[in-house]
Each structure stands twice: as structure tokens, then as C-alpha cells.
Amino acid sequence: MVLGKLGSSISNALKKLVGAGTIDAKLIRELKNDLMKALLEADVKLEIAIEVSERVEKRALKEELPPGIPRQKHVIKIVHDELVKILGGKAQKLKITPGKLSVLLFVGIQGSGKTTVVGKLGSWLSKRGMKPALVCTDTDRPGAYEQLKQLGDQTNVPVYGNPKEKSSLKLARDGILEFQKSHEVILVDTAGRHKEETAMLKEMARIAKQIKPDEIVLVLDGTLGQQAYDQALAFAAATEIGSIIVTKLDGSAKGGGALSACAATHAPIKYIGVGEKIGDLERFDPTGFVGRLLNMGDLESLIESVKAAQIEPDEEMAKAFLTGKFTLRDMYTQMQNIGKMGSMSKILSFLPGFSTGLPAGLEDTSEENMKKFMCMMESMTADELDNPTVIKSTRLQRIARGSGTDAKDVKQLLNQFNQMKKMMKGMKKGLGRRGGKMPNMADLAAMQQGGAKGPKVTRGKKR
Ligand SMILES: Nc1nc2c(ncn2[C@@H]2O[C@H](COP(=O)(O)OP(=O)(O)OP(=O)(O)O)[C@@H](O)[C@H]2O)c(=O)[nH]1
Ligand SMILES: [Mg+2]
């Protein structure tokens, strides 16, 4: 995988963080250094590596924690978001308006893969029911028109060009005239082969001015290292780059150059080239890519579900807890909250380092079990919910019957409740440091994971 090494270095750094009970400024600084090192090793330009890791450090230290989110998870989200941000944010489509003529101009240095990309995209669009056409404006490379024609012929996409014509401007204009009435998307290939880079940039800017494309796509060789940044910057200075396509990501490319190019142009990567064949083109989704890169499952959906649930214990519950009166009713509410987020084990499985298991009293909190427990609690009287010690044999039988379970299941629930209550009692002492806030299930899990006896996770506090 491109940037695979970067991903494993960063996720190792994050695992260190998750494994630690308490996150302090020293740990965050360590993460910043690990991040910077990983970015540099992946060929990301020094300035960008510094900028990203410093931003992560600053945010991790300053930002208030959203309710119910342990600091570890929050820091992971910051790293994730910053990487996604550089790569262009949400996955975006090319600027093509169905039913209207769209013109896309492809630019890039010699050999970056422009002509190949134009051929691949023609095939991509035509397979999706659109009517694309290709235009060759390259007057410098011998055989440029034949190369594009060959690609177009493979997928029956028409190609305009004239090897005898010397003016690239005229070729661009004539190509558009040729297809504008009969086709939906015109892909214009340009020359990358010039004696001087400035001459090429000038020609590109002239063509752009003349044909006013809907989008200018910078095609970038994915095997480029540090120089990718300056190259992308030069293009962005000469014209308005709308998106990037990174090619040759099928080889041993580290991919850091692509990351720097995005930062230089503030343009998103929309596609990647992963081979020489016409079908070797993939859409690029920064969120999914970074998620896979950091190997932490679909973090976004987790974060979204946590956000949607907005888990925060209510005041009544906090009071009940502070006075040591944790009842089955409170446990029921907690389970309802977890239900809103998805099961506890699923939530924890999103986090590296949490795979070792659930905290004491929660091992059995699978979704199915939780539903069963809630069913049993629904079969209890108010008295039983508030004071579970009254539940003895006949009541046990009645609750089991009412909820379609066995007496041993009810016993298991009571057992789990008692374990939780014991654990909460143990933590009561440390509450002052939490500003009197009651821990929720996620906190409990985090505490247990850190091996802490008391609540060491600070929430909503600036450091
Ligand atoms: N392995 C691999 N090779 C690629 C990929 N994309 C392009 N190439 C190869 O890179 C070489 C250059 O590609 P072109 O498409 O001709 O590059 P260009 O930007 O049009 O080059 P100029 O016209 O000289 O500016 C060709 O040999 C392509 O087959 C890719 O995604 N993977
Ligand atoms: Mg070419």
C-alpha cells in the first residue's frame, strides 16, 4: 500500500498512546516527534512534516474533549483528520456536469503519465454511460497523437489530433470545436516535453486561458519524493489547479511526494493510477485511505455514531453515583447509551490496543447480551430496579419468565451489576479530579485499559 510504511509507523506511535494510562504533554510531544519522523521517512517535505505534526500537538493539548470520548480516541481522531485534510478532505468527483459540456485540461511534467491518464479516464467515463472525447495538443513529443489514439481506440473513445499542426493552441481550440456538439466531456492532453519548464508552464497557461476548462487536473508521478512539492507549487503558481491525479502508485512508491503536492496546491487527489493498463485507475477517497492507512477500521463512522449519541450521563445519575447509589436503573440507562453507539466491543475494536478485551463486568456486554439484560430489567418492578438486593429466588423466576430467559441469566445480570458497582465504588475517591463528573461506559473501559484503579482520564480540561 502506498504510504504503508508511514501508516504503520504512525499507528505504532498511536498504539503507544492508547497503551498509556494517562496522556500528558510529554506523551503528546513524543507523538509529535514520531509523526514528524514517519512523515519525513515517507518523503514528505520537511516544512509540511513540521507543520502537520505541530498542528497535531497543538490541537491535542488545547482542544476540549467532546463528551464521552476518552483523550486517546480524541488524539487519534486529530491525527486522522489532519492527514485527511492534507489529502483533500472528503472524496470529490471531477467537475463534470451531466447534460452539459465539460472540458478538463490535463497538465504535468514530462513522463508524469498525462496521456495515460487521459486514456484511462476516457475509458472510465465511457464505461459509466458518459460520452467522452480526447484531444491531443502535444506538439513536442513525437508520436504523441498516435499514443493517445491507440488508447482511445481500445475503448472506442474518439480522439482529435493532427501531428502536422505546430500550434498547441489551435489544436486545443479545434479539438473542442470538433466535439462540443456531439460529446459531454472533452479531455485535453498537453505536452510535458519542453526544453525549459517555464516555456511549458507558459504554454499550459495560454491553453487554459483560451479554452477556459471546467477543471485543470495536475498529473503527478507518485514516485517523486521531495521535489514533488516544488513541482506542484510551480504549476499552481502558473494556473489554477483544481485536482490532482497521482500515477505509478503500483510500484514501490512511498507516496510522500503526493502528500506534499496536495499541501502545495490545496487541491484534492481525485484519482490514482495503479498500472500501465487502461483499467488501472482508481477513485481516491482520503478518509477511507487514511482510515486504512492507520489501520483502525472505519473511524469516521465510529466518531459519527458517538457524536450522534452525545453520551453524557444525566444529573440524576451523576447524583445517584456520587451518593453511592448506583442501581440497576442506572445500568439500564448506560446500556441504552451504548445501544445508541453500537455495542461496546465494536466500539473498542475500532481502537488499536483495545483488542485485549472488555473491562471487568463488561466482558459479556455483547449486543445480544445487552438486549437480553435490558429485557430482564424491563421485567423488574420499580422496587427491584432501585434495590436489586431484594431479588431472591421467586422474584428471579418471575423475572426470567417475564423476559423469556433463565434464572441463571438473571443471576448473571445481577453478578455483572455487582461487579460494576464495586468498580464504581473504587473510583469514587478520585472523582474530585474529574470535576465531580460521573464516568460512563467508555471511560470505564479506558480506565480499565490503562490499568488505573481510579479515574485518571481527565475530561474537558485544558492543560
Ligand atoms: N506502472 C505505471 N506506469 C504508468 C502509470 N501511468 C503512466 N505510466 C507509464 O509512464 C510512462 C509515461 O506515461 P505518459 O502517459 O506517456 O506520460 P506523459 O505525462 O503523457 O508524458 P509526456 O507526454 O512526455 O509529457 C509510460 O510508460 C506509461 O505507461 C501507472 O499508473 N503505473
Ligand atoms: Mg503525453
Side-chain angles (χ1 to χ4, degrees):
M1 181 188 188
V2 189
L3 291 173
K5 172 96 187 5
L6 173 73
S8 57
S9 314
I10 298 179
S11 54
N12 281 341
L14 291 173
K15 273 181 197 153
K16 230 189 310 182
L17 200 82
V18 173
T22 318
I23 297 186
D24 54 16
K26 187 169 157 269
L27 253 176
I28 300 283
R29 195 171 323 118
E30 216 173 289
L31 172 72
K32 177 190 84 173
N33 292 336
D34 286 346
L35 190 60
M36 185 139 64
K37 197 163 146 248
L39 288 167
L40 287 175
E41 277 171 4
D43 269 351
V44 174
K45 193 175 167 68
L46 177 69
E47 287 82 345
I48 312 282
I50 293 175
E51 200 186 308
V52 173
S53 25
E54 283 186 347
R55 205 161 43 226
V56 165
E57 181 188 34
K58 205 164 141 198
R59 285 188 57 190
L61 290 174
K62 286 259 164 74
E63 276 180 20
E64 299 236 336
L65 286 179
I69 307 275
R71 187 167 294 276
Q72 274 96 336
K73 213 192 279 184
H74 186 59
V75 175
I76 291 169
K77 181 173 158 33
I78 292 174
V79 173
H80 172 273
D81 288 358
E82 289 298 331
L83 289 175
V84 170
K85 202 157 89 188
I86 306 188
L87 289 170
K90 281 220 146 48
Q92 292 172 48
K93 293 188 170 162
L94 287 169
K95 265 204 189 146
I96 294 175
T97 322
K100 202 181 141 261
L101 176 73
S102 305
V103 177
L104 307 181
L105 182 67
F106 293 79
V107 302
I109 211 103
Q110 178 184 168
S112 56
K114 294 177 295 300
T115 307
T116 312
V117 157
V118 167
K120 284 175 177 177
L121 260 179
S123 156
W124 173 283
L125 295 171
S126 131
K127 272 195 190 138
R128 280 155 186 81
M130 267 177 269
K131 279 183 83 184
L134 319 180
V135 174
C136 170
T137 68
D138 189 346
T139 53
D140 299 299
R141 170 192 273 276
Y145 170 70
E146 284 75 18
Q147 188 194 356
L148 192 63
K149 180 86 174 81
Q150 231 176 41
L151 288 166
D153 285 352
Q154 281 183 47
T155 48
N156 290 323
V157 175
V159 179
Y160 177 83
N162 178 3
K164 294 202 182 85
E165 176 57 56
K166 290 279 167 281
S167 158
S168 53
L169 266 179
K170 184 165 171 16
L171 283 166
R173 214 167 33 222
D174 290 352
I176 290 172
L177 278 174
E178 171 85 13
F179 295 124
Q180 65 184 5
K181 292 237 160 61
S182 52
H183 288 74
E184 283 178 295
V185 190
I186 304 179
L187 309 175
V188 183
D189 187 18
T190 61
R193 188 184 251 225
H194 263 280
K195 277 192 208 78
E196 263 187 72
E197 196 178 284
T198 43
M200 176 193 58
L201 291 171
K202 264 193 193 146
E203 179 180 282
M204 170 199 78
R206 267 207 308 273
I207 296 179
K209 215 168 151 195
Q210 164 94 39
I211 66 172
K212 297 190 180 59
D214 295 272
E215 180 159 333
I216 302 180
V217 183
L218 174 64
V219 179
L220 206 95
D221 185 332
T223 61
L224 282 181
Q226 297 274 338
Q227 70 268 45
Y229 181 87
D230 296 326
Q231 204 180 94
L233 205 62
F235 276 92
T239 188
E240 194 184 326
I241 301 298
S243 62
I244 297 178
I245 294 183
V246 185
T247 63
K248 307 183 194 178
L249 290 182
D250 45 312
S252 55
K254 288 198 214 162
L259 219 124
S260 310
C262 282
T265 54
H266 300 291
I269 300 177
K270 294 189 179 170
Y271 286 86
I272 56 172
V274 290
E276 291 189 77
K277 289 200 289 296
I278 197 122
D280 295 334
L281 185 78
E282 289 175 7
R283 278 205 64 194
F284 183 75
D285 168 17
T287 311
F289 177 77
V290 174
R292 284 194 301 279
L293 186 73
L294 299 187
N295 194 22
M296 51 191 192
D298 197 351
L299 188 74
E300 198 183 43
S301 78
L302 163 73
I303 290 154
E304 282 312 308
S305 64
V306 172
K307 230 194 287 163
Q310 282 296 326
I311 293 153
E312 187 64 54
D314 62 35
E315 273 196 25
E316 281 299 303
M317 250 172 84
K319 235 187 278 164
F321 177 70
L322 283 168
T323 52
K325 278 189 192 146
F326 181 69
T327 67
L328 275 170
R329 218 185 271 279
D330 301 322
M331 187 170 174
Y332 185 85
T333 313
Q334 283 284 13
M335 285 190 172
Q336 257 180 331
N337 277 340
I338 289 175
K340 280 192 236 164
M341 290 200 292
S343 81
M344 195 67 197
S345 52
K346 191 171 146 220
I347 289 164
L348 291 184
S349 71
F350 283 114
L351 294 177
F354 271 90
S355 51
T356 44
L358 294 169
L362 289 175
E363 301 94 335
D364 235 351
T365 325
S366 66
E367 219 154 339
E368 203 184 313
N369 247 327
M370 234 163 53
K371 273 194 200 131
K372 209 159 76 180
F373 284 167
M374 288 172 84
C375 227
M376 291 183 226
M377 289 189 259
E378 280 156 14
S379 295
M380 292 178 187
T381 63
D383 189 32
E384 287 160 354
L385 284 172
D386 291 332
N387 186 17
T389 49
V390 302
I391 304 175
K392 298 276 152 46
S393 62
T394 40
R395 287 182 189 242
L396 266 178
Q397 298 293 346
R398 197 208 74 241
I399 295 163
R401 262 199 319 275
S403 55
T405 57
D406 288 338
K408 84 170 169 8
D409 293 326
V410 185
K411 273 189 198 154
Q412 192 197 349
L413 161 69
L414 292 175
N415 203 16
Q416 203 149 329
F417 165 73
N418 285 329
Q419 278 192 52
M420 258 185 95
K421 190 167 170 146
K422 215 160 90 191
M423 192 175 159
M424 289 207 166
K425 256 192 196 151
M427 292 187 308
K428 225 182 102 184
K429 290 175 211 128
L431 265 184
R433 267 178 288 159
R434 304 174 51 83
K437 273 199 171 178
M438 180 179 167
N440 61 25
M441 289 279 195
D443 288 338
L444 292 182
M447 287 167 201
Q448 181 79 10
Q449 196 63 34
K453 291 224 167 46
K456 281 192 175 174
V457 184
T458 48
R459 305 188 334 146
K461 274 189 190 170
K462 283 188 180 162
R463 283 166 187 270

